[in-house]
Amino acid sequence: GGKSWGPSTASFSWWADGEAPRCDSVSPKAVHLGGGEVVRVRGKGFAAIGDELQCVLGGVAVPAALNAEGDVECVTPSSPVPTSLSVFVRVHGVACAEAIEARLTLYDVLSPPEVYSLSPAFVKVDEGGELRVRGSNFAPMPRLACSLGADIGQVPAIFISTEEVRCVAPAWPSNAIVPVRVTHDGSAWSGFAPELAYYRPPKLSALSPVGGDLLKETLVLVRGSNFFSERNGDNVYCALGPKLRAPSLEELRATTPTSASVVSSTSAALGVRRRLV
């Protein structure tokens, strides 16, 4: 009919109703950051007509292939630092919807995790609590765990990211200070270990002195029980407050018994100072 067609071609794919690409999970969930690892993406819609099949790992597209089970396999690229990547399968340019389980962590399998900080650094005796451990090179391994010293032992850890895990400190019957470390598999542990303190709420019995000068710092001796500190001594402090408002001279006179018609400036000032402490 006199029509001419250009040399360019484009592919077109069909899917059965409801069978567009869908990514459900990736396995393994963690591999070495050096690259060259084979990962498998499970889902549906990967057997579409067409020969363009890719994995997209954190924005990097790599060739992929279907295996006998209908899953997609691809080889990971390298990464200079530990990281968690979103994983997509793309068929003829159509990407599957991301699933929470379809994430891949690249970490250094030759090095243990590193721990930088712990929050909170205190939990109550007989209660324990959830701990947020910050660091690097964490990975979602089956035996990911926290160690709370030789006496308390290991507890499972929950992977949040390559820079954070969480674990639950169990209840403990007495005051204790324990080091917190993290492991991927129970064989190699993080080096630096921040300390976790188990404590009973302190009880106050006496203060000395009970007043101080408004314009000067006052050293106060506090007596009671259940006082202790970490070895570094940075987590023990006194809370002074809330601040009390100094009463006016009229308020002081209004609250003075009628039998005492004169209130000396010395005794009134001392009373105000005491109320401010």
Side-chain angles (χ1 to χ4, degrees):
K3 295 181 180 179
S4 61
W5 301 89
S8 300
T9 61
S11 57
F12 184 82
S13 300
W14 291 264
W15 289 276
D17 188 27
E19 290 296 323
R22 190 188 78 195
C23 301
D24 293 335
S25 64
V26 61
S27 64
K29 294 186 177 301
V31 296
H32 183 49
L33 53 71
E37 305 282 347
V38 177
V39 296
R40 174 183 294 188
V41 183
R42 292 183 172 88
K44 290 185 178 181
F46 300 150
I49 298 174
D51 58 358
E52 292 188 16
L53 187 63
Q54 293 178 320
C55 286
V56 182
L57 308 176
V60 178
V62 297
L66 282 173
N67 61 21
E69 290 78 29
D71 300 327
V72 171
E73 293 183 349
C74 48
V75 178
T76 62
S78 63
S79 173
V81 295
T83 184
S84 289
L85 306 175
S86 58
V87 178
F88 300 89
V89 170
R90 191 159 59 192
V91 182
H92 277 275
V94 179
C96 64
E98 180 185 12
I100 295 177
E101 294 297 320
R103 293 190 67 82
L104 178 67
T105 296
L106 306 181
Y107 76 109
D108 187 355
V109 300
L110 304 178
S111 302
E114 296 184 25
V115 172
Y116 302 149
S117 64
L118 175 68
S119 179
F122 290 80
V123 292
K124 289 184 179 180
V125 166
D126 298 328
E127 290 186 15
E130 184 180 71
L131 307 177
R132 180 184 180 189
V133 185
R134 300 282 295 175
S136 66
N137 204 37
F138 298 142
M141 305 302 291
R143 297 179 60 190
L144 184 66
C146 294
S147 170
L148 305 181
D151 293 334
I152 300 177
Q154 298 183 32
V155 295
I158 299 173
F159 175 80
I160 304 299
S161 71
T162 57
E163 298 179 344
E164 180 180 341
V165 298
R166 296 188 184 182
C167 50
V168 176
W172 193 246
S174 61
N175 287 358
I177 299 176
V178 299
V180 177
R181 291 184 169 89
V182 177
T183 183
H184 289 138
D185 56 12
S187 63
W189 294 85
S190 54
F192 173 69
E195 292 181 330
L196 173 70
Y198 281 84
Y199 74 99
R200 295 185 186 278
K203 297 180 180 179
L204 307 185
S205 60
L207 299 176
S208 178
V210 295
D213 193 316
L214 287 173
L215 303 179
K216 298 180 180 179
E217 293 184 351
T218 302
L219 179 64
V220 179
L221 176 64
V222 183
R223 297 186 182 276
S225 60
N226 296 335
F227 298 157
F228 76 102
S229 68
E230 290 186 310
R231 293 197 247 299
N232 293 333
D234 294 333
N235 292 291
V236 176
Y237 59 92
C238 293
L240 306 177
K243 294 181 178 180
L244 300 179
R245 182 181 63 85
S248 65
L249 183 59
E250 290 73 15
E251 289 173 324
L252 287 173
R253 287 173 175 169
T255 56
T256 301
T258 55
S259 57
S261 57
V262 177
V263 178
S264 70
S265 60
T266 301
S267 62
L270 180 60
V272 171
R273 287 173 185 171
R274 285 182 175 176
R275 296 184 67 179
L276 283 171
V277 173

